Amino acid sequence: MAVVLGQHSPPAPHAADGRLAVDGGNPVRRTPWPTYDKGAVFVHPEDEEAAVRAIRSHLYFRYDQRAQQETECGKLEDELCRYFGTTHALAVSSGTAALALAIMAARIPPGSLVACPGFTFVATPSAIVLAGCLPFLVDVDENLQLDLADLQRRWTPQIKAILVVHMRGFAADMDALTRFAAQVGVPVFEDAVPALGAELRGRKLGTFGLAGAFSTQSDKSLNCGEGGFLVTDDRAIFARAVVLSGAYEGRFRRHFPDGEPPIDTDLDLPLLSFRMDEIRAALLRAELDRLPIRLERFRSNYEYVAAALADLPEIAIRQPVAPGAYLGEAFIFRVPDGDASWFAHALCCEGIDARNLGSAADNNVRAFWNWRFVFGTEDVTATKARLPNATRYLQQAVDVPLSSTLSVQDCDHLVAAVRRVAAAIADNRDRPARAQPR
Ligand SMILES: Cc1ncc(COP(=O)(O)O)c(C=O)c1O
């Protein structure tokens, strides 16, 4: 059962004539859909107190006169190692920084191709570019997962790494991908930014590859406004990432209190100032204590909504690669035989924030054909033709953010709104003129 946070009341009744809100009927809800950018975040008084304590300490820089184990950043890194079961963790300034550090620290030669799925947030190819490499986009399947067959078909030896993404909290097929990467002899990095705390067959996402990158930006499972971290079991990659992140003048040694670091000097590498600060680390440490509660809310809300809509033939709900292999931060479904852009618009009119991922009218940063820094002045039609399935499935996909603060009532509103709009599609299947985008 979903977590009860608010009063349970039924969605607003349909307009007497059954009209959708998009057609002038009553919306399912009139209050804003809770999202992080409206302040709907899971932050407890203890978390606020932790940040205030750090502010009052006046020690904001992680590499001050204290030992590593006495700093908030150092303690956070120890706690992250325990949480993920890795030997190393490095707190940094963003998820993008963590991704770029992983690629650079693994010494992927600049100019190499790095494969990543065609469905991801723009930060993934951006991090590849930041690391001096070139994104090699791979088509996706109907569940918006990297299509391994496409990668195998188009494989070239210039690809020196695979950057897997657990996009919108859904685990990628790590068994198949790591097996293939081992065959072709390249490392796998995980963009686990949207999946902090989610597991695949009992193992935490972000711990399958050579290194896993996470974000702690505001709509993530741990939220300190901006920030991120890297986890890895590889000592050399960790040491280089520490230096690259800005542990200057020998400060990288503090990360190896029990032994000699695997590098001698910090000036063989550029120092990029991707460090985390003490205030954010303090906030994150407090949030980490309550992470299981937040994860349970994501999961129970997602399961509640997905189960309540599973019977609708008008939508195809994104399926996980294994039972429960998702976080639950987003509800994504495709409208295979309808107009997903109209569907998303109709949901917004019903009071639910929804986006058609591949909308022509919306410059969504998750639609690869909008990444002009990758494709330059190439015609957009030609760009779309590079990944025909990703194009088709993104154009069919509707994305609804599911905050961990959603109440049962919010979930019921979402279910009622999707049912209403789907019913209109069913009613109009033979009369497509009515179910048209605005
Ligand atoms: C898949 C993915 N990768 C990377 C990032 C970048 O994280 P950050 O904003 O912390 O740089 C995001 C941000 O939402 C993301 O969704």
Side-chain angles (χ1 to χ4, degrees):
M1 185 57 189
V3 184
V4 180
L5 288 177
Q7 288 298 311
H8 189 95
S9 68
H14 235 140
D17 59 3
R19 281 179 304 155
L20 296 176
V22 69
D23 294 330
N26 288 336
V28 167
R29 62 185 277 138
R30 294 191 187 276
T31 48
W33 185 243
T35 51
Y36 79 97
D37 55 348
K38 302 179 198 111
V41 292
F42 188 90
V43 175
H44 278 237
E46 295 97 311
D47 307 339
E48 295 165 6
E49 283 155 22
V52 169
R53 268 199 307 277
I55 290 172
R56 295 212 170 114
S57 76
H58 294 186
L59 295 167
Y60 305 158
F61 182 51
R62 68 166 300 166
Y63 295 120
D64 60 20
Q65 89 295 344
R66 292 168 295 170
Q68 158 84 357
Q69 310 91 293
E70 288 165 25
T71 63
E72 295 291 343
C73 286
K75 288 177 188 167
L76 172 66
E77 287 163 352
D78 285 349
E79 288 157 9
L80 290 172
C81 284
R82 278 200 288 282
Y83 182 78
F84 285 96
T86 56
T87 44
H88 304 289
L90 175 66
V92 294
S93 55
S94 72
T96 306
L99 285 167
L101 284 173
I103 299 169
M104 288 187 275
R107 291 184 162 154
I108 303 301
S112 309
L113 298 178
V114 174
C116 72
F119 172 48
T120 184
F121 188 72
V122 66
T124 313
S126 302
I128 294 171
V129 170
L130 182 58
C133 298
L134 302 166
F136 179 91
L137 301 187
V138 185
D139 216 348
V140 302
D141 64 19
E142 61 183 6
N143 287 310
L144 299 169
Q145 294 283 9
L146 187 147
D147 178 0
L148 184 53
D150 182 56
L151 180 58
Q152 285 167 325
R153 220 175 9 254
R154 294 166 51 225
W155 183 261
T156 138
Q158 278 110 29
I159 301 174
K160 300 293 183 209
I162 303 175
L163 179 45
V164 173
V165 185
H166 305 299
M167 187 54 177
R168 295 306 260 154
F170 271 60
D173 186 352
M174 293 313 295
D175 295 345
L177 288 164
T178 49
R179 211 178 308 122
F180 172 68
Q183 272 164 23
V184 290
V186 303
V188 169
F189 303 111
E190 286 174 84
D191 180 340
V193 161
L196 200 169
E199 296 183 357
L200 171 61
R201 298 190 184 92
R203 182 164 166 186
K204 291 217 162 48
L205 298 178
T207 65
F208 287 80
L210 191 53
F214 295 85
S215 168
T216 58
Q217 182 261 344
S218 280
D219 69 341
K220 307 301 184 289
S221 313
L222 293 174
N223 153 32
C224 62
E226 299 285 358
F229 58 91
L230 188 71
V231 296
T232 182
D233 287 333
D234 189 297
R235 220 170 132 77
I237 287 184
F238 174 65
R240 285 187 219 113
V242 168
V243 172
L244 285 161
S245 77
Y248 59 92
E249 292 178 349
R251 285 168 171 80
F252 67 93
R253 294 182 189 286
R254 301 182 190 192
H255 290 263
F256 296 89
D258 303 327
E260 268 303 297
I263 49 176
D264 313 321
T265 166
D266 47 24
L267 286 173
D268 290 345
L269 293 166
L271 287 87
L272 301 171
S273 287
F274 287 157
R275 293 174 299 262
M276 175 159 282
D277 60 86
E278 289 288 280
I279 302 166
R280 286 174 214 208
L283 180 54
L284 292 174
R285 289 187 58 220
E287 289 179 2
L288 189 56
D289 286 344
R290 272 163 293 284
L291 181 58
I293 308 172
R294 192 191 293 218
L295 295 178
E296 178 49 32
R297 290 189 177 193
F298 274 134
R299 169 164 302 278
S300 58
N301 286 335
Y302 184 88
E303 281 172 2
Y304 183 79
V305 170
L309 293 171
D311 64 324
L312 273 189
E314 290 77 22
I315 64 169
I317 299 175
R318 190 181 189 199
Q319 296 300 309
V321 295
Y326 52 75
L327 180 66
E329 57 138 15
F331 182 62
I332 296 185
F333 57 90
R334 286 186 300 108
V335 190
D337 303 314
D339 183 332
S341 169
W342 175 82
F343 202 117
H345 175 62
L347 283 181
C348 290
C349 294
E350 298 292 344
I352 308 292
D353 286 5
R355 275 178 104 173
N356 168 216
L357 289 168
S359 165
D362 172 4
N363 199 21
N364 196 324
V365 292
R366 295 161 192 85
F368 69 92
W369 54 86
N370 291 327
W371 303 339
R372 299 329 299 175
F373 66 95
V374 176
F375 300 106
T377 55
E378 180 179 79
D379 182 68
V380 173
T381 313
T383 304
K384 287 179 174 172
R386 289 169 178 266
L387 305 183
N389 291 333
T391 301
R392 180 154 55 107
Y393 295 136
L394 287 172
Q395 285 170 342
Q396 294 176 349
V398 175
D399 179 28
V400 179
L402 299 183
S403 161
S404 57
T405 64
L406 292 190
S407 65
V408 174
Q409 185 184 7
D410 295 324
C411 294
D412 285 341
H413 286 159
L414 170 56
V415 170
V418 173
R419 284 198 165 276
R420 257 185 208 184
V421 177
I425 288 203
D427 287 351
N428 284 279
R429 195 162 282 140
D430 301 327
R431 291 179 290 125
R434 188 186 153 214
Q436 286 299 314
R438 29 212 187 272

